[in-house]
Amino acid sequence: MKYAYFPGCSLHSTAKEFDLSTRAVCKNLDIELVEIPDWICCGSTPAHTTSELLSLALPLANCTWAENNHLDVVAPCASCFSRLKIATLEVQKDADLRKKINTIIEGNFEGNTKIFHLLHLFSNGNGSAEKLKEKTKRDLSTLKVVAYYGCLLARPKEVAGVVDVENPQSMDRILNKAGLDVLDWSHKTECCGASLSITDKKVSLRLVHEIIQTAADAGADCIAVACPLCQSNLDLQQSELKNNHGHKYHLPIFYFTQLMGLALGLETNKLGLKRLIVDPRPLLKNKNIIGIEE
Amino acid sequence: MKYELPRENDQQHFMSIIEKMSGQNIRLCYQCGKCSAGCPICHEMEDSPNQIIRYIQLGLKEQALSKNTIWLCASCQTCSTRCPQQLDLAKIMDSLRILHQQESLQQNIPFSTSAKDFGHRFYNSLLNGLQMDVRSNVNAFSDLFLKMVRHYGRQFETGLIYNYNVNSGFLFSNVLKGPMMLMKAKINLIPEDVKRREKVEKIFSKIEQLEKSEKEKR
């Protein structure tokens, strides 16, 4: 299996560990990722709230390379994935719009290439999930985790490709296959506030607190995410929160690929565990998942 | 609350602009309020999402555009997903923001890449103090975000946050997290070198020209 890989800006900066663990896990499961050469930013939310044309042109400038090379695109960032897929769907529906965008990007995008999020890659019945189960080397059954999808991996339905927008299952299944104790909880698809953490901190803190508190109340040791902005909001702001008893939370926020990597027995430094702000190593040592010296 | 309704033609006019921009049939909304019930940020909004839709139906442009609602919307799409009439409210919020930006004199957020220029603006910012309003914060953030992309081809977080802080007057907001993020190698001090920078600039300037000529036609 070979895919065009669109890491996106976050995976080259705040979410390097997502990039590291994605590459390590895919390599282990025989999925080949070819990074799109000289990819550019997808424009994210600032583009679609400023100009519709910009929100289509920036993603499609990247997809054109994949299409010319007959590859489907995989993006680990929820926002990049959503923008790439929405742009592709929009120009599939409207031939005039496609022409207009092709003039702007000086390309010849037809809309044939498919856009996947990383979660789809491990849950779409191509055998990766079974391979993951077979190759599992570390026992993670003592680790209680909740899967947090946030907004863009659940909504809109036709973009995210989920059966139930209120209760998506793809990450739960993957973590299950990796041998973790996946708990049910209520805040799977609640919003973390996205960039409000910069533009209106108070609102963002309230939303993050609700998510962290609910996960803790459900009995989780940690949260698994698949979006760099969700991760950084839950991880960076956690030190500012306290529970009802005045205690600080200590819930590591893993990328789901890091947990897959742990299950596959990959070395911890290949998964970027040290880069997480809430250090997950004490928890993992406590549960005898990694050694004392790691 | 008492509002003077515009004449019917004007009512239709504003609604049809938003309908054209968003591709949504806003007449379909029968004010069930499900969007607002599910909105995670409704508590902090001056008016709830369904009220904004009602303003559009009644042609109350000023009310629809002046509330903090459209700026607080995080595009989480909960409303769009749950609407029994399949209205894409998040898209309508986008359209309102875009219209607001087109109609108000677009404030040009200064943006610097040199240390000297930056120092000068830092000093000015100390004199001018804080801008607390969410609308200008969101505007500044979006504007700077896109300027960074236009200049570098990719996002450069360190540059974005520093420019944003100087502009908003929250000089040290998130700065304390900077050293920790540097230590964890989560942010870069130098922007990435993208070879297609001219191509990105071309995309931006072509769109600017296109949108300008479309606006003049209207």
Side-chain angles (χ1 to χ4, degrees), chain A residues 9 12-14 16-17 38-39 41 48 51 100 103 106 151 155 166 199 206 240 274-276, chain B residues 40 44 76 81-82 94 137 153-155 157 177 184-186 188 192 195-196 206 211 214:
Chain A
C9 307
H12 275 221
S13 58
T14 52
K16 276 177 196 151
E17 61 276 23
D38 286 310
W39 54 269
C41 173
H48 75 76
S51 152
K100 202 171 175 182
T103 324
E106 296 174 359
C151 304
R155 297 180 289 267
E166 306 288 352
T199 52
R206 176 176 68 75
E240 295 169 46
K274 280 184 202 166
R275 290 175 191 266
L276 301 177
Chain B
E44 282 89 0
C76 80
T81 312
R82 293 182 185 171
D94 279 0
N137 285 352
R154 288 179 195 165
Q155 196 44 261
E157 277 87 357
K177 296 206 170 107
K184 299 253 179 189
K186 274 183 168 280
N188 304 321
E192 289 196 309
K195 297 207 176 55
R196 294 199 299 176
K206 270 189 184 167
E211 286 179 340
E214 272 170 21

mmCIF file of all heavy atoms in Angstrom, chain A residues 9 12-14 16-17 38-39 41 48 51 100 103 106 151 155 166 199 206 240 274-276, chain B residues 40 44 76 81-82 94 137 153-155 157 177 184-186 188 192 195-196 206 211 214:
data_model
loop_
_atom_site.group_PDB
_atom_site.id
_atom_site.type_symbol
_atom_site.label_atom_id
_atom_site.label_comp_id
_atom_site.label_asym_id
_atom_site.label_seq_id
_atom_site.Cartn_x
_atom_site.Cartn_y
_atom_site.Cartn_z
ATOM 1 N N CYS A 9 1.323 21.686 8.463
ATOM 2 C CA CYS A 9 2.250 22.530 9.244
ATOM 3 C C CYS A 9 2.458 22.027 10.670
ATOM 4 O O CYS A 9 3.574 22.000 11.179
ATOM 5 C CB CYS A 9 1.734 23.956 9.289
ATOM 6 S SG CYS A 9 1.367 24.640 7.675
ATOM 7 N N HIS A 12 4.978 19.392 11.410
ATOM 8 C CA HIS A 12 6.378 19.795 11.302
ATOM 9 C C HIS A 12 6.785 20.711 12.450
ATOM 10 O O HIS A 12 7.908 21.198 12.489
ATOM 11 C CB HIS A 12 6.617 20.498 9.956
ATOM 12 C CG HIS A 12 6.904 19.532 8.845
ATOM 13 N ND1 HIS A 12 7.848 19.752 7.891
ATOM 14 C CD2 HIS A 12 6.379 18.326 8.560
ATOM 15 C CE1 HIS A 12 7.892 18.737 7.050
ATOM 16 N NE2 HIS A 12 6.998 17.855 7.431
ATOM 17 N N SER A 13 5.852 21.024 13.369
ATOM 18 C CA SER A 13 6.230 21.878 14.502
ATOM 19 C C SER A 13 5.628 21.366 15.810
ATOM 20 O O SER A 13 6.232 20.514 16.450
ATOM 21 C CB SER A 13 5.837 23.338 14.241
ATOM 22 O OG SER A 13 4.457 23.442 14.009
ATOM 23 N N THR A 14 4.433 21.859 16.182
ATOM 24 C CA THR A 14 3.899 21.511 17.506
ATOM 25 C C THR A 14 3.566 20.026 17.652
ATOM 26 O O THR A 14 3.458 19.536 18.760
ATOM 27 C CB THR A 14 2.613 22.307 17.799
ATOM 28 O OG1 THR A 14 1.719 22.145 16.700
ATOM 29 C CG2 THR A 14 2.890 23.781 17.982
ATOM 30 N N LYS A 16 5.270 17.292 16.159
ATOM 31 C CA LYS A 16 6.302 16.444 15.538
ATOM 32 C C LYS A 16 6.162 14.985 15.957
ATOM 33 O O LYS A 16 6.444 14.075 15.173
ATOM 34 C CB LYS A 16 7.703 16.945 15.918
ATOM 35 C CG LYS A 16 8.188 18.062 15.019
ATOM 36 C CD LYS A 16 9.539 18.579 15.472
ATOM 37 C CE LYS A 16 9.823 19.924 14.825
ATOM 38 N NZ LYS A 16 10.671 20.789 15.636
ATOM 39 N N GLU A 17 5.720 14.787 17.203
ATOM 40 C CA GLU A 17 5.590 13.405 17.682
ATOM 41 C C GLU A 17 4.491 12.636 16.938
ATOM 42 O O GLU A 17 4.544 11.416 16.835
ATOM 43 C CB GLU A 17 5.366 13.360 19.199
ATOM 44 C CG GLU A 17 4.120 14.060 19.714
ATOM 45 C CD GLU A 17 4.315 15.559 19.935
ATOM 46 O OE1 GLU A 17 5.220 16.147 19.319
ATOM 47 O OE2 GLU A 17 3.544 16.141 20.730
ATOM 48 N N ASP A 38 7.404 19.669 -1.453
ATOM 49 C CA ASP A 38 7.104 21.105 -1.325
ATOM 50 C C ASP A 38 5.624 21.405 -1.147
ATOM 51 O O ASP A 38 5.081 22.320 -1.758
ATOM 52 C CB ASP A 38 7.638 21.881 -2.536
ATOM 53 C CG ASP A 38 9.137 22.012 -2.460
ATOM 54 O OD1 ASP A 38 9.638 22.417 -1.403
ATOM 55 O OD2 ASP A 38 9.808 21.671 -3.458
ATOM 56 N N TRP A 39 4.985 20.610 -0.303
ATOM 57 C CA TRP A 39 3.578 20.884 0.007
ATOM 58 C C TRP A 39 3.448 22.257 0.665
ATOM 59 O O TRP A 39 4.397 22.749 1.276
ATOM 60 C CB TRP A 39 2.995 19.790 0.906
ATOM 61 C CG TRP A 39 3.775 19.549 2.165
ATOM 62 C CD1 TRP A 39 4.791 18.663 2.336
ATOM 63 C CD2 TRP A 39 3.630 20.233 3.422
ATOM 64 N NE1 TRP A 39 5.278 18.732 3.621
ATOM 65 C CE2 TRP A 39 4.587 19.700 4.301
ATOM 66 C CE3 TRP A 39 2.787 21.236 3.876
ATOM 67 C CZ2 TRP A 39 4.734 20.137 5.621
ATOM 68 C CZ3 TRP A 39 2.931 21.676 5.191
ATOM 69 C CH2 TRP A 39 3.894 21.127 6.037
ATOM 70 N N CYS A 41 0.703 25.036 2.996
ATOM 71 C CA CYS A 41 -0.349 25.021 4.031
ATOM 72 C C CYS A 41 -1.737 24.920 3.392
ATOM 73 O O CYS A 41 -1.984 25.477 2.332
ATOM 74 C CB CYS A 41 -0.249 26.294 4.863
ATOM 75 S SG CYS A 41 -1.590 26.527 6.040
ATOM 76 N N HIS A 48 -11.054 29.440 5.224
ATOM 77 C CA HIS A 48 -12.474 29.320 4.864
ATOM 78 C C HIS A 48 -13.348 30.379 5.510
ATOM 79 O O HIS A 48 -14.491 30.586 5.101
ATOM 80 C CB HIS A 48 -13.017 27.894 5.061
ATOM 81 C CG HIS A 48 -13.274 27.466 6.470
ATOM 82 N ND1 HIS A 48 -14.353 27.883 7.191
ATOM 83 C CD2 HIS A 48 -12.597 26.632 7.297
ATOM 84 C CE1 HIS A 48 -14.329 27.328 8.397
ATOM 85 N NE2 HIS A 48 -13.282 26.571 8.483
ATOM 86 N N SER A 51 -11.995 33.606 2.628
ATOM 87 C CA SER A 51 -12.273 33.565 1.195
ATOM 88 C C SER A 51 -12.515 32.122 0.772
ATOM 89 O O SER A 51 -11.678 31.252 1.021
ATOM 90 C CB SER A 51 -11.070 34.139 0.441
ATOM 91 O OG SER A 51 -10.979 33.565 -0.842
ATOM 92 N N LYS A 100 -12.122 27.218 -12.581
ATOM 93 C CA LYS A 100 -11.657 28.458 -11.952
ATOM 94 C C LYS A 100 -10.451 28.184 -11.056
ATOM 95 O O LYS A 100 -9.443 28.895 -11.111
ATOM 96 C CB LYS A 100 -12.821 29.025 -11.130
ATOM 97 C CG LYS A 100 -12.740 30.512 -10.839
ATOM 98 C CD LYS A 100 -14.084 30.908 -10.220
ATOM 99 C CE LYS A 100 -14.133 32.336 -9.766
ATOM 100 N NZ LYS A 100 -15.427 32.664 -9.139
ATOM 101 N N THR A 103 -7.293 27.366 -12.962
ATOM 102 C CA THR A 103 -6.628 28.567 -13.486
ATOM 103 C C THR A 103 -5.795 29.221 -12.386
ATOM 104 O O THR A 103 -4.661 29.648 -12.623
ATOM 105 C CB THR A 103 -7.679 29.594 -13.979
ATOM 106 O OG1 THR A 103 -8.760 28.886 -14.542
ATOM 107 C CG2 THR A 103 -7.091 30.564 -14.973
ATOM 108 N N GLU A 106 -2.846 26.971 -11.541
ATOM 109 C CA GLU A 106 -2.130 26.555 -12.751
ATOM 110 C C GLU A 106 -1.901 25.042 -12.746
ATOM 111 O O GLU A 106 -0.783 24.563 -12.934
ATOM 112 C CB GLU A 106 -0.800 27.318 -12.886
ATOM 113 C CG GLU A 106 -1.024 28.806 -13.078
ATOM 114 C CD GLU A 106 0.266 29.614 -13.060
ATOM 115 O OE1 GLU A 106 1.348 29.019 -12.885
ATOM 116 O OE2 GLU A 106 0.167 30.834 -13.211
ATOM 117 N N CYS A 151 -14.081 17.650 16.640
ATOM 118 C CA CYS A 151 -15.106 18.015 15.652
ATOM 119 C C CYS A 151 -14.909 17.369 14.294
ATOM 120 O O CYS A 151 -15.785 16.710 13.767
ATOM 121 C CB CYS A 151 -15.104 19.522 15.454
ATOM 122 S SG CYS A 151 -15.334 20.431 16.968
ATOM 123 N N ARG A 155 -17.538 15.300 11.958
ATOM 124 C CA ARG A 155 -18.454 16.183 11.237
ATOM 125 C C ARG A 155 -17.762 16.936 10.122
ATOM 126 O O ARG A 155 -16.586 17.257 10.283
ATOM 127 C CB ARG A 155 -19.048 17.215 12.212
ATOM 128 C CG ARG A 155 -19.878 16.640 13.312
ATOM 129 C CD ARG A 155 -20.421 17.744 14.206
ATOM 130 N NE ARG A 155 -19.399 18.365 15.021
ATOM 131 C CZ ARG A 155 -19.084 17.989 16.263
ATOM 132 N NH1 ARG A 155 -19.696 17.005 16.831
ATOM 133 N NH2 ARG A 155 -18.146 18.619 16.914
ATOM 134 N N GLU A 166 -22.608 11.171 16.240
ATOM 135 C CA GLU A 166 -22.576 11.416 17.680
ATOM 136 C C GLU A 166 -21.752 10.362 18.415
ATOM 137 O O GLU A 166 -21.415 10.529 19.582
ATOM 138 C CB GLU A 166 -23.996 11.436 18.266
ATOM 139 C CG GLU A 166 -24.968 12.396 17.578
ATOM 140 C CD GLU A 166 -24.680 13.880 17.869
ATOM 141 O OE1 GLU A 166 -23.834 14.169 18.720
ATOM 142 O OE2 GLU A 166 -25.314 14.724 17.214
ATOM 143 N N THR A 199 -7.461 33.252 20.761
ATOM 144 C CA THR A 199 -8.244 34.479 20.608
ATOM 145 C C THR A 199 -9.228 34.739 21.752
ATOM 146 O O THR A 199 -9.642 35.875 21.962
ATOM 147 C CB THR A 199 -9.036 34.450 19.284
ATOM 148 O OG1 THR A 199 -9.781 33.229 19.228
ATOM 149 C CG2 THR A 199 -8.111 34.511 18.098
ATOM 150 N N ARG A 206 -12.731 26.697 29.480
ATOM 151 C CA ARG A 206 -13.966 26.062 29.952
ATOM 152 C C ARG A 206 -14.232 24.767 29.169
ATOM 153 O O ARG A 206 -14.545 23.722 29.748
ATOM 154 C CB ARG A 206 -15.157 27.016 29.801
ATOM 155 C CG ARG A 206 -16.492 26.378 30.182
ATOM 156 C CD ARG A 206 -17.665 27.335 30.134
ATOM 157 N NE ARG A 206 -18.008 27.788 28.791
ATOM 158 C CZ ARG A 206 -18.645 27.038 27.886
ATOM 159 N NH1 ARG A 206 -18.965 25.789 28.159
ATOM 160 N NH2 ARG A 206 -18.932 27.538 26.696
ATOM 161 N N GLU A 240 -3.320 24.459 33.918
ATOM 162 C CA GLU A 240 -4.073 25.600 34.460
ATOM 163 C C GLU A 240 -5.388 25.169 35.104
ATOM 164 O O GLU A 240 -6.134 25.997 35.601
ATOM 165 C CB GLU A 240 -4.353 26.614 33.347
ATOM 166 C CG GLU A 240 -3.067 27.235 32.812
ATOM 167 C CD GLU A 240 -3.289 28.041 31.540
ATOM 168 O OE1 GLU A 240 -4.234 28.832 31.495
ATOM 169 O OE2 GLU A 240 -2.495 27.850 30.590
ATOM 170 N N LYS A 274 8.554 11.747 24.824
ATOM 171 C CA LYS A 274 9.136 12.807 25.658
ATOM 172 C C LYS A 274 8.627 14.191 25.292
ATOM 173 O O LYS A 274 8.769 15.127 26.054
ATOM 174 C CB LYS A 274 10.656 12.824 25.465
ATOM 175 C CG LYS A 274 11.393 11.778 26.234
ATOM 176 C CD LYS A 274 12.887 11.986 26.030
ATOM 177 C CE LYS A 274 13.610 10.691 26.317
ATOM 178 N NZ LYS A 274 14.980 10.720 25.833
ATOM 179 N N ARG A 275 8.098 14.304 24.074
ATOM 180 C CA ARG A 275 7.670 15.625 23.618
ATOM 181 C C ARG A 275 6.319 16.052 24.181
ATOM 182 O O ARG A 275 5.954 17.215 24.080
ATOM 183 C CB ARG A 275 7.576 15.649 22.094
ATOM 184 C CG ARG A 275 8.909 15.581 21.411
ATOM 185 C CD ARG A 275 8.708 15.479 19.919
ATOM 186 N NE ARG A 275 9.933 15.152 19.240
ATOM 187 C CZ ARG A 275 10.745 16.064 18.716
ATOM 188 N NH1 ARG A 275 10.439 17.337 18.795
ATOM 189 N NH2 ARG A 275 11.848 15.708 18.124
ATOM 190 N N LEU A 276 5.568 15.113 24.738
ATOM 191 C CA LEU A 276 4.263 15.482 25.293
ATOM 192 C C LEU A 276 4.478 16.335 26.538
ATOM 193 O O LEU A 276 5.403 16.108 27.312
ATOM 194 C CB LEU A 276 3.453 14.227 25.635
ATOM 195 C CG LEU A 276 3.171 13.279 24.463
ATOM 196 C CD1 LEU A 276 2.419 12.050 24.948
ATOM 197 C CD2 LEU A 276 2.390 13.983 23.377
ATOM 198 N N PRO B 40 -21.553 24.567 21.638
ATOM 199 C CA PRO B 40 -20.743 24.533 22.862
ATOM 200 C C PRO B 40 -20.381 25.929 23.379
ATOM 201 O O PRO B 40 -19.935 26.065 24.516
ATOM 202 C CB PRO B 40 -19.488 23.769 22.425
ATOM 203 C CG PRO B 40 -19.409 23.946 20.950
ATOM 204 C CD PRO B 40 -20.827 24.044 20.470
ATOM 205 N N GLU B 44 -21.431 32.017 25.850
ATOM 206 C CA GLU B 44 -20.635 33.242 25.769
ATOM 207 C C GLU B 44 -21.099 34.178 24.658
ATOM 208 O O GLU B 44 -20.549 35.260 24.499
ATOM 209 C CB GLU B 44 -19.158 32.898 25.558
ATOM 210 C CG GLU B 44 -18.423 32.445 26.820
ATOM 211 C CD GLU B 44 -18.515 30.940 27.049
ATOM 212 O OE1 GLU B 44 -19.151 30.247 26.233
ATOM 213 O OE2 GLU B 44 -17.961 30.473 28.073
ATOM 214 N N CYS B 76 -17.291 24.206 14.655
ATOM 215 C CA CYS B 76 -17.262 22.816 15.122
ATOM 216 C C CYS B 76 -18.285 21.969 14.384
ATOM 217 O O CYS B 76 -18.250 20.746 14.450
ATOM 218 C CB CYS B 76 -17.485 22.727 16.627
ATOM 219 S SG CYS B 76 -19.208 22.855 17.121
ATOM 220 N N THR B 81 -24.676 19.735 11.611
ATOM 221 C CA THR B 81 -24.954 18.304 11.608
ATOM 222 C C THR B 81 -26.344 18.002 12.148
ATOM 223 O O THR B 81 -27.001 17.066 11.706
ATOM 224 C CB THR B 81 -23.917 17.570 12.474
ATOM 225 O OG1 THR B 81 -22.634 18.041 12.106
ATOM 226 C CG2 THR B 81 -23.973 16.082 12.275
ATOM 227 N N ARG B 82 -26.793 18.805 13.132
ATOM 228 C CA ARG B 82 -28.051 18.476 13.806
ATOM 229 C C ARG B 82 -29.265 19.186 13.230
ATOM 230 O O ARG B 82 -30.396 18.861 13.597
ATOM 231 C CB ARG B 82 -27.922 18.812 15.297
ATOM 232 C CG ARG B 82 -26.927 17.907 15.994
ATOM 233 C CD ARG B 82 -26.841 18.220 17.472
ATOM 234 N NE ARG B 82 -25.797 17.417 18.115
ATOM 235 C CZ ARG B 82 -25.389 17.597 19.355
ATOM 236 N NH1 ARG B 82 -25.918 18.551 20.079
ATOM 237 N NH2 ARG B 82 -24.431 16.837 19.860
ATOM 238 N N ASP B 94 -19.546 31.600 8.308
ATOM 239 C CA ASP B 94 -18.402 31.962 7.455
ATOM 240 C C ASP B 94 -18.777 33.115 6.528
ATOM 241 O O ASP B 94 -18.046 34.095 6.406
ATOM 242 C CB ASP B 94 -17.994 30.772 6.553
ATOM 243 C CG ASP B 94 -17.127 29.762 7.288
ATOM 244 O OD1 ASP B 94 -16.841 29.974 8.468
ATOM 245 O OD2 ASP B 94 -16.746 28.752 6.654
ATOM 246 N N ASN B 137 -9.589 40.265 17.868
ATOM 247 C CA ASN B 137 -8.635 39.171 18.070
ATOM 248 C C ASN B 137 -8.712 38.136 16.956
ATOM 249 O O ASN B 137 -7.692 37.716 16.410
ATOM 250 C CB ASN B 137 -8.909 38.444 19.391
ATOM 251 C CG ASN B 137 -8.463 39.240 20.590
ATOM 252 O OD1 ASN B 137 -7.811 40.276 20.428
ATOM 253 N ND2 ASN B 137 -8.811 38.789 21.770
ATOM 254 N N GLY B 153 4.780 30.139 2.787
ATOM 255 C CA GLY B 153 4.269 28.920 2.142
ATOM 256 C C GLY B 153 3.684 27.936 3.140
ATOM 257 O O GLY B 153 2.822 27.143 2.818
ATOM 258 N N ARG B 154 4.193 27.987 4.375
ATOM 259 C CA ARG B 154 3.643 27.149 5.450
ATOM 260 C C ARG B 154 3.490 28.009 6.691
ATOM 261 O O ARG B 154 4.036 29.109 6.754
ATOM 262 C CB ARG B 154 4.604 25.993 5.782
ATOM 263 C CG ARG B 154 4.629 24.945 4.717
ATOM 264 C CD ARG B 154 5.584 23.822 5.029
ATOM 265 N NE ARG B 154 5.814 23.049 3.809
ATOM 266 C CZ ARG B 154 6.800 22.188 3.659
ATOM 267 N NH1 ARG B 154 7.665 21.973 4.640
ATOM 268 N NH2 ARG B 154 6.925 21.526 2.528
ATOM 269 N N GLN B 155 2.787 27.457 7.688
ATOM 270 C CA GLN B 155 2.630 28.210 8.921
ATOM 271 C C GLN B 155 3.949 28.246 9.682
ATOM 272 O O GLN B 155 4.699 27.285 9.708
ATOM 273 C CB GLN B 155 1.542 27.570 9.792
ATOM 274 C CG GLN B 155 1.041 28.467 10.885
ATOM 275 C CD GLN B 155 0.793 29.888 10.421
ATOM 276 O OE1 GLN B 155 1.618 30.780 10.613
ATOM 277 N NE2 GLN B 155 -0.323 30.117 9.768
ATOM 278 N N GLU B 157 4.674 29.045 13.394
ATOM 279 C CA GLU B 157 3.944 29.320 14.640
ATOM 280 C C GLU B 157 4.595 30.403 15.496
ATOM 281 O O GLU B 157 3.915 31.254 16.043
ATOM 282 C CB GLU B 157 3.797 28.042 15.481
ATOM 283 C CG GLU B 157 2.642 27.154 15.077
ATOM 284 C CD GLU B 157 3.022 26.180 13.985
ATOM 285 O OE1 GLU B 157 4.181 26.255 13.521
ATOM 286 O OE2 GLU B 157 2.167 25.370 13.577
ATOM 287 N N LYS B 177 4.804 29.801 27.871
ATOM 288 C CA LYS B 177 4.796 28.435 27.356
ATOM 289 C C LYS B 177 5.874 28.257 26.301
ATOM 290 O O LYS B 177 6.233 27.134 25.961
ATOM 291 C CB LYS B 177 3.428 28.109 26.761
ATOM 292 C CG LYS B 177 2.339 28.147 27.822
ATOM 293 C CD LYS B 177 1.174 27.279 27.463
ATOM 294 C CE LYS B 177 0.225 27.139 28.623
ATOM 295 N NZ LYS B 177 -0.997 27.900 28.430
ATOM 296 N N LYS B 184 10.812 21.163 24.405
ATOM 297 C CA LYS B 184 10.214 19.928 23.887
ATOM 298 C C LYS B 184 10.307 19.887 22.366
ATOM 299 O O LYS B 184 9.681 19.036 21.732
ATOM 300 C CB LYS B 184 8.742 19.848 24.314
ATOM 301 C CG LYS B 184 8.566 19.821 25.820
ATOM 302 C CD LYS B 184 8.173 18.441 26.275
ATOM 303 C CE LYS B 184 8.009 18.385 27.783
ATOM 304 N NZ LYS B 184 7.832 17.030 28.257
ATOM 305 N N ALA B 185 10.998 20.860 21.791
ATOM 306 C CA ALA B 185 11.169 20.963 20.329
ATOM 307 C C ALA B 185 9.823 20.985 19.621
ATOM 308 O O ALA B 185 9.646 20.380 18.585
ATOM 309 C CB ALA B 185 12.036 19.828 19.800
ATOM 310 N N LYS B 186 8.861 21.680 20.229
ATOM 311 C CA LYS B 186 7.527 21.720 19.629
ATOM 312 C C LYS B 186 7.345 22.920 18.701
ATOM 313 O O LYS B 186 6.388 22.993 17.955
ATOM 314 C CB LYS B 186 6.458 21.749 20.724
ATOM 315 C CG LYS B 186 6.092 20.357 21.208
ATOM 316 C CD LYS B 186 4.984 20.429 22.217
ATOM 317 C CE LYS B 186 4.398 19.073 22.499
ATOM 318 N NZ LYS B 186 3.447 18.605 21.509
ATOM 319 N N ASN B 188 9.480 25.852 16.074
ATOM 320 C CA ASN B 188 10.720 26.152 15.366
ATOM 321 C C ASN B 188 11.043 27.640 15.510
ATOM 322 O O ASN B 188 10.154 28.475 15.536
ATOM 323 C CB ASN B 188 10.559 25.850 13.879
ATOM 324 C CG ASN B 188 10.128 24.411 13.642
ATOM 325 O OD1 ASN B 188 10.583 23.496 14.324
ATOM 326 N ND2 ASN B 188 9.228 24.213 12.691
ATOM 327 N N GLU B 192 10.321 27.108 7.946
ATOM 328 C CA GLU B 192 10.767 26.073 7.018
ATOM 329 C C GLU B 192 10.992 26.674 5.635
ATOM 330 O O GLU B 192 10.332 27.642 5.255
ATOM 331 C CB GLU B 192 9.705 24.974 6.925
ATOM 332 C CG GLU B 192 9.624 24.149 8.171
ATOM 333 C CD GLU B 192 8.867 22.861 7.933
ATOM 334 O OE1 GLU B 192 7.753 22.904 7.403
ATOM 335 O OE2 GLU B 192 9.405 21.808 8.314
ATOM 336 N N LYS B 195 10.083 25.548 -1.282
ATOM 337 C CA LYS B 195 10.596 25.993 -2.574
ATOM 338 C C LYS B 195 9.542 26.639 -3.469
ATOM 339 O O LYS B 195 9.855 27.275 -4.437
ATOM 340 C CB LYS B 195 11.248 24.809 -3.306
ATOM 341 C CG LYS B 195 12.431 24.295 -2.525
ATOM 342 C CD LYS B 195 13.471 23.629 -3.375
ATOM 343 C CE LYS B 195 14.657 23.237 -2.518
ATOM 344 N NZ LYS B 195 14.258 22.381 -1.356
ATOM 345 N N ARG B 196 8.273 26.418 -3.115
ATOM 346 C CA ARG B 196 7.245 26.952 -4.001
ATOM 347 C C ARG B 196 6.657 28.274 -3.504
ATOM 348 O O ARG B 196 5.503 28.578 -3.764
ATOM 349 C CB ARG B 196 6.131 25.918 -4.167
ATOM 350 C CG ARG B 196 6.593 24.684 -4.896
ATOM 351 C CD ARG B 196 5.421 23.929 -5.441
ATOM 352 N NE ARG B 196 4.509 23.481 -4.386
ATOM 353 C CZ ARG B 196 3.380 22.865 -4.640
ATOM 354 N NH1 ARG B 196 2.997 22.653 -5.862
ATOM 355 N NH2 ARG B 196 2.608 22.462 -3.644
ATOM 356 N N LYS B 206 -3.708 36.194 -7.325
ATOM 357 C CA LYS B 206 -4.742 35.932 -8.329
ATOM 358 C C LYS B 206 -6.135 35.985 -7.705
ATOM 359 O O LYS B 206 -7.062 36.541 -8.284
ATOM 360 C CB LYS B 206 -4.538 34.540 -8.944
ATOM 361 C CG LYS B 206 -3.647 34.554 -10.166
ATOM 362 C CD LYS B 206 -3.704 33.187 -10.813
ATOM 363 C CE LYS B 206 -2.755 33.118 -11.980
ATOM 364 N NZ LYS B 206 -2.563 31.743 -12.433
ATOM 365 N N GLU B 211 -11.421 38.447 -6.725
ATOM 366 C CA GLU B 211 -12.454 38.863 -5.786
ATOM 367 C C GLU B 211 -12.735 40.359 -5.899
ATOM 368 O O GLU B 211 -13.856 40.802 -5.713
ATOM 369 C CB GLU B 211 -12.074 38.457 -4.360
ATOM 370 C CG GLU B 211 -12.260 36.956 -4.170
ATOM 371 C CD GLU B 211 -11.898 36.446 -2.798
ATOM 372 O OE1 GLU B 211 -11.152 37.155 -2.075
ATOM 373 O OE2 GLU B 211 -12.332 35.331 -2.451
ATOM 374 N N GLU B 214 -14.901 40.843 -8.941
ATOM 375 C CA GLU B 214 -16.266 40.371 -8.667
ATOM 376 C C GLU B 214 -17.029 41.372 -7.809
ATOM 377 O O GLU B 214 -18.213 41.601 -8.002
ATOM 378 C CB GLU B 214 -16.224 39.003 -7.982
ATOM 379 C CG GLU B 214 -16.205 37.854 -8.981
ATOM 380 C CD GLU B 214 -15.921 36.518 -8.334
ATOM 381 O OE1 GLU B 214 -16.117 36.377 -7.114
ATOM 382 O OE2 GLU B 214 -15.476 35.599 -9.061
#
